[in-house]
Amino acid sequence: AGGAEQAPQVPRYVRVNTLKTHLDDVVDYFKRQQYVYQGKAGSMEEVSSLSGKKFYLDPHLPELLIFPPQMDFHDNQLYVAGHIILQDKASCLPAFLLNPLLGSHVIDACAAPGNKTSHLAAVMKNKGRIFALDRDAKRLATMSTMLMRAGATCYQLAHQDFLTTDPADPKYSQVRYILLDPSCSGSGMASQLPVENTLLPERLQALAGFQKKMLAHALSFPALQRLVYSTCSVYQEENEDVVWDVLQQREKEFRLVQALPSWSHRGSGTFAEAKFCLRASPKETLTNGFFVAVLERWHGGASEKS
Ligand code: SAM
């Protein structure tokens, strides 16, 4: 606290949009622009000392490139054409970890402005269906343009409060995967750091109450097999505590699974499985502050489809 410690600058991450192009083509494009490709990054030190026109392949995510922090590609022709998506590494984790099968049905419950929806569509190679919901019409409009530019086609947008969806509705009967990325304090965003002691306890309680309701609702979809819960919050109240509170009510049906075991920065909390969750931060993972939990239905669960 006291603002003495400066958070390290987060690199510029570039997700290659495999709906439109290939990793090799994007790497070749940047090489032709005199950027110097260094291959897969071997350590955090290498990434944090990145400078000039050097760039790396990310060691965790297969189609993510890492450039120095000051790089701005908003005018780059690959960005304009939807071949690359400018998305922080931590925000690429939820779709990667949900990893829906091609052809499956997925709900993206809080979808706008749609970076994770477009990533899901890429993971699914546009095969299957993503029900992408958001209660904010303006953000949905932005999202629609973005998804079109990204070449995503396997989605249905709905201007709807997720809490008003009916899990028994036949249109959701094959939904095996849910990505739940609800509104949060935003306290992990690099631009908002440092954040210690800045959020009122009442505001935090209200957010946590909403997040618990959303997670409990998501777990009531009958064919659900796997869910990813994520926030860009640094507070345990919005993260581990939400997951633990809801899971305790559903522990016979769902369990936490290890999210990306090779990731060193883990969840913290008062229960043993908190370390199954992962955390991200500028200091420890050179990303925005973020939290991810992966929940799966126990095999043989009552609602499993035969
Ligand atoms: N997943 C998005 C992405 O990757 O681009 C970011 C989602 S943002 C963190 C949270 C979103 O949840 C906001 O767009 C907000 O409008 C939406 N939201 C909040 N409450 C909601 C609800 N009850 N039902 C549906 N959407 C909701």
Side-chain angles (χ1 to χ4, degrees):
E5 203 181 334
Q6 190 73 29
Q9 267 197 311
V10 169
R12 159 56 68 198
Y13 292 99
V14 168
R15 177 165 67 78
V16 174
N17 178 15
T18 53
L19 291 174
K20 288 218 156 169
T21 186
H22 302 282
L23 177 67
D24 294 348
D25 292 342
V26 172
V27 168
D28 286 344
Y29 168 89
F30 280 111
K31 282 187 189 163
R32 285 197 301 276
Q33 310 278 316
Q34 275 74 56
Y35 288 86
V36 186
Y37 184 50
Q38 310 278 92
K40 196 182 275 195
S43 68
M44 284 261 299
E45 289 68 34
E46 279 183 347
V47 176
S48 57
S49 59
L50 201 52
S51 64
K53 292 193 93 176
K54 293 182 186 154
F55 69 111
Y56 280 114
L57 181 64
D58 186 81
H60 296 102
L61 289 142
E63 280 111 15
L64 194 68
L65 297 172
I66 316 175
F67 290 84
Q70 61 281 2
M71 286 292 166
D72 183 359
F73 294 123
H74 285 91
D75 293 329
N76 186 285
Q77 67 186 85
L78 291 190
Y79 173 71
V80 175
H83 288 214
I84 58 172
I85 313 277
L86 304 178
Q87 187 172 357
D88 182 61
K89 174 174 177 173
S91 138
C92 295
L93 292 168
F96 174 69
L97 291 174
L98 190 63
N99 195 22
L101 289 172
L102 305 196
S104 57
H105 286 195
V106 181
I107 292 178
D108 188 350
C110 294
N115 275 338
K116 298 185 190 75
T117 315
S118 97
H119 193 190
L120 282 171
V123 171
M124 294 160 72
K125 299 189 165 42
N126 263 337
K127 294 189 169 64
R129 186 170 303 164
I130 306 170
F131 299 97
L133 278 63
D134 204 283
R135 68 174 178 194
D136 185 324
K138 233 167 139 188
R139 287 166 70 95
L140 274 175
T142 313
M143 172 166 178
S144 180
T145 313
M146 192 280 238
L147 289 177
M148 216 160 359
R149 185 165 59 184
T153 53
C154 63
Y155 64 90
Q156 286 181 9
L157 288 191
H159 179 209
Q160 190 176 356
D161 181 336
F162 177 58
L163 293 172
T164 68
T165 54
D166 177 6
D169 187 326
K171 79 171 169 193
Y172 300 130
S173 64
Q174 294 177 55
V175 170
R176 299 269 200 282
Y177 303 92
I178 295 183
L179 194 151
L180 180 60
D181 184 41
S183 301
C184 68
S185 59
S187 47
M189 299 307 287
S191 55
Q192 303 210 5
L193 294 169
V195 295
E196 285 98 326
N197 307 321
T198 55
L199 203 70
L200 292 173
E202 305 86 69
R203 167 100 178 109
L204 204 50
Q205 280 317 308
L207 281 166
F210 156 75
Q211 290 150 351
K212 285 175 194 169
K213 254 197 244 168
M214 296 285 273
L215 181 56
H217 186 66
L219 293 185
S220 64
F221 281 71
L224 181 68
Q225 291 298 325
R226 186 205 284 264
L227 176 144
V228 168
Y229 174 80
S230 59
T231 73
C232 56
S233 164
V234 299
Y235 295 111
Q236 186 181 318
E237 289 90 334
E238 297 183 88
N239 296 330
E240 293 89 349
D241 291 357
V242 168
V243 171
W244 185 236
D245 192 79
V246 175
L247 207 53
Q248 276 184 313
Q249 298 153 36
R250 311 293 294 248
E251 61 185 352
K252 294 218 166 67
E253 294 158 274
F254 292 95
R255 66 193 165 107
L256 268 171
V257 292
Q258 277 274 12
L260 203 56
S262 63
W263 191 265
S264 56
H265 191 22
R266 310 304 306 184
S268 52
T270 49
F271 58 102
E273 294 91 339
K275 44 182 189 314
F276 286 14
C277 307
L278 69 78
R279 275 179 173 258
S281 71
K283 207 168 154 190
E284 306 207 38
T285 57
L286 298 173
T287 65
N288 283 330
F290 212 78
F291 172 85
V292 184
V294 183
L295 276 66
E296 272 183 7
R297 193 182 288 280
W298 287 102
H299 290 302
S303 304
E304 258 191 16
K305 215 171 169 239
S306 54

